[in-house]
Amino acid sequence: MSVDLVLCNAKAYIDKQIVDCSFAINEGRILKIGKEATMPKAETKIDLKNLLVLPGLIDVHVHLRDEGKAYKEDFYSGTTAAAAGGITTVLDMPNNNPVTMNVAALKNRMEKAEKKILVNVGFYSEFPKKNSEIEKIIAEGAVAFKLFMAEQVGGLNIDDDAALLEAFGIATKMKVPIAVHAEDKLTLKEAEQKFKRANCNDIDAFLKAHSEGVEAKAVKRVLNLVKQVGTHIHFCHVSTEDGLNAIVDEKKKGVPITCETTPHHLLISTDELKRIGTLALTMPPVREKQHLTALWNGIKNGWIDIVASDHAPHAVEEKKAGTVWDVKVGVPGLETTLPLMLTEVNRGRLSIAEIASLMAERPAEVFKLTNKGYLKEGYNADLTVIDLNKKYRIDASKFHSKAKYSPFDKLAVEGKPVKTFVNGQLVMEDEEIIANPGSGQIIRRE
Ligand code: DOR
Ligand code: ZN
Ligand code: ZN
């Protein structure tokens, strides 16, 4: 028997250890893991030259845009950015134009994506206007729901606890997770208006409006609701000590919640934000150093489940326009997340096992992505190949993303994804995209 591909001389992270092995890959799956001598004949053989191989990394928080926001990013540019960053699966956020919040919009998005994507893509939906649509959206294959609490994006009235509870109940019954952007709208908008009236339009005012308390308030409100229905809530981009502590307290009691943070919330402080300027502006914003320390403790203690990029690309002009209130918030992160995390491995702050857990295993488990997250026989042949010793500087002008800016631009990093395999196909090699659009697959909740 001859298989599609054999990868030999890998140092792969398998069963919590790094082992010397080879992979036989057929029809997009890992057929066999073992010694090179035991591998079947193959059409193609690639020598991985003792590079580190991780399970294909999964980024659960990505804004791929396209459609009405294609000038910022489209399915092709966004998934080439993923492949270049060593990411083999992304989950796409719903704040699109049109908003992904009904069957027609979701279906249309999937159809558009299918021909353009180079990595696997699953889709979030916002909650629809009518709760009766929730089950239909799930039947169409949405992987999870998103609840944006800083303002109403979907059809659900976010000011109404009873409406939230009802929607949570349906998602719970259908066993679909809900990812929450926790910033309290009323507190936030009130503060924003106050600063605008006082003509305070700088980064400081933005930080005060998007205060630590704004996050903690929304987290606590959702936690109160969770206790009533037992919904699996996943907190996106946790940025504050208080927010994290509230989540950890409930986790300790066994409440079924999970959370993520991002490289910018872990690595950039407000001092650095003020130095870099509005290019680094995000929602929630980065915080003072004490919060960065709390987030790192959350990672080291296993309370933070996932590191995701919150890849939120904009046109560079949109990042500089007008007052701070007009600036589009968000930074591209698909091409920087893994190098930044590998740099932390080389600094001794993180282990390879932690990267595998935060960026592959837990993402697959939390979002119930079958046959992903681990290097195992029978699993999808999604693999991220890494040169852990490669030293270079991040260069945003070379991004595959349309958003050619980064708060980490010019930063020296150590560790680089050098090959990305998606469903057994080599998609990226040494920064170059070598597969055709369409090699990624749409992930549908079954
Ligand atoms: O920084 C952000 N950018 N936060 C969000 O919640 C939205 C996102 C975007 O879509 O640009
Ligand atoms: Zn968000
Ligand atoms: Zn986001």
Side-chain angles (χ1 to χ4, degrees):
M1 178 198 167
S2 171
V3 298
D4 294 337
L5 175 66
V6 162
L7 305 175
C8 59
N9 295 320
K11 285 205 178 299
Y13 182 75
I14 297 169
D15 287 339
K16 303 196 185 310
Q17 281 178 5
I18 294 171
V19 295
D20 293 310
C21 65
S22 296
F23 294 87
I25 290 166
N26 206 39
E27 294 180 350
R29 299 273 175 134
I30 300 173
L31 186 74
K32 186 171 176 168
I33 304 174
K35 292 212 160 56
E36 190 177 351
T38 70
M39 290 292 120
K41 273 210 195 72
E43 307 256 301
T44 311
K45 192 170 178 180
I46 299 177
D47 184 347
L48 293 181
K49 299 184 176 154
N50 288 314
L51 289 168
L52 174 65
V53 180
L54 292 186
L57 301 179
I58 301 168
D59 191 338
V60 304
H61 193 143
V62 173
H63 300 262
L64 283 179
R65 317 275 197 217
D66 209 303
E67 300 180 280
K69 294 184 182 175
Y71 70 96
K72 296 175 195 259
E73 193 80 292
D74 60 38
F75 289 124
Y76 180 73
S77 61
T79 57
T80 55
I87 311 290
T88 57
T89 297
V90 303
L91 299 187
D92 170 63
M93 283 293 172
N95 59 330
N96 302 303
N97 179 12
V99 175
T100 319
M101 58 183 275
N102 54 50
V103 170
L106 176 61
K107 215 170 162 176
N108 196 34
R109 219 166 150 69
M110 286 177 165
E111 272 167 21
K112 281 223 163 68
E114 195 133 42
K115 295 167 227 98
K116 296 196 197 171
I117 55 177
L118 283 141
V119 303
N120 303 315
V121 181
F123 293 87
Y124 286 91
S125 173
E126 261 286 352
F127 281 106
K129 277 209 168 65
K130 288 196 206 126
N131 277 339
S132 57
E133 274 262 318
I134 295 179
E135 295 191 27
K136 293 183 195 144
I137 291 170
I138 297 168
E140 198 58 46
V143 166
F145 281 93
K146 172 75 182 283
L147 179 66
F148 191 70
M149 296 179 79
E151 67 184 295
Q152 187 166 329
V153 171
L156 184 63
N157 177 4
I158 59 169
D159 300 328
D160 182 350
D161 275 0
L164 292 190
L165 263 183
E166 207 181 310
F168 285 12
I170 302 170
T172 313
K173 195 179 77 193
M174 304 293 288
K175 301 192 169 66
V176 173
I178 302 169
V180 172
H181 175 122
E183 284 191 288
D184 184 70
K185 182 187 105 179
L186 296 177
T187 319
L188 172 59
K189 294 293 169 201
E190 210 179 331
E192 201 178 300
Q193 288 315 320
K194 190 186 83 187
F195 287 117
K196 279 182 184 167
R197 277 197 301 272
N199 217 11
C200 298
N201 302 319
D202 57 2
I203 288 180
D204 254 321
F206 184 94
L207 288 172
K208 283 182 189 144
H210 292 259
S211 67
E212 293 140 27
V214 162
E215 176 170 283
K217 190 163 182 190
V219 166
K220 287 173 189 168
R221 178 172 163 219
V222 169
L223 286 174
N224 255 328
L225 299 176
V226 173
K227 284 188 233 170
Q228 298 174 50
V229 277
T231 311
H232 173 189
I233 294 285
H234 174 75
F235 288 96
C236 301
H237 45 51
V238 176
S239 67
T240 62
E241 186 172 20
D242 252 16
L244 180 62
N245 283 345
I247 292 165
V248 171
D249 283 348
E250 295 308 314
K251 276 189 154 203
K252 282 181 178 163
K253 293 180 208 151
V255 177
I257 49 175
T258 54
C259 67
E260 96 204 4
T261 193
T262 74
H264 44 279
H265 291 108
L266 283 166
L267 297 169
I268 301 178
S269 68
T270 45
D271 289 346
E272 283 150 319
L273 165 64
K274 286 173 203 167
R275 181 178 54 76
I276 301 166
T278 52
L279 270 188
L281 210 60
T282 58
M283 255 174 84
V286 300
R287 307 291 183 185
E288 278 163 20
K289 289 217 168 66
Q290 118 201 32
H291 299 277
L292 279 59
T293 308
L295 294 177
W296 276 107
N297 287 338
I299 294 229
K300 297 312 286 185
N301 295 323
W303 293 117
I304 293 177
D305 299 87
I306 292 173
V307 167
S309 69
D310 194 358
H311 179 80
H314 295 287
V316 178
E317 311 82 70
E318 294 176 319
K319 294 295 296 178
K320 294 175 177 166
T323 75
V324 81
W325 313 110
D326 302 319
V327 170
K328 295 286 181 197
V329 290
V331 293
L334 281 167
E335 289 163 270
T336 50
T337 298
L338 179 58
L340 290 166
M341 292 297 107
L342 293 172
T343 305
E344 296 304 319
V345 170
N346 281 311
R347 284 195 184 133
R349 186 143 66 156
L350 206 60
S351 68
I352 289 298
E354 284 166 330
I355 290 196
S357 174
L358 293 160
M359 297 181 68
E361 297 167 359
R362 292 299 288 143
E365 286 155 9
V366 168
F367 288 90
K368 304 192 188 86
L369 309 175
T370 44
N371 297 324
K372 294 198 190 308
Y374 292 83
L375 294 172
K376 264 192 200 171
E377 291 177 3
Y379 272 48
N380 288 21
D382 296 337
L383 300 90
T384 301
V385 182
I386 288 162
D387 180 348
L388 195 53
N389 301 317
K390 179 84 184 167
K391 289 186 181 166
Y392 62 107
R393 279 181 194 277
I394 288 173
D395 181 354
S397 73
K398 300 248 167 69
F399 281 174
H400 292 74
S401 167
K402 289 186 186 178
K404 300 196 192 304
Y405 65 91
S406 168
F408 300 107
D409 199 20
K410 310 280 186 301
L411 191 75
V413 287
E414 185 174 0
K416 187 175 193 177
V418 289
K419 286 185 175 62
T420 306
F421 291 89
V422 178
N423 304 314
Q425 215 178 326
L426 183 58
V427 172
M428 181 279 289
E429 185 167 35
D430 296 328
E431 295 176 21
E432 244 182 275
I433 300 299
I434 52 175
N436 293 324
S439 38
Q441 277 172 7
I442 304 279
I443 300 167
R444 287 184 172 81
R445 165 83 56 235
E446 280 145 29

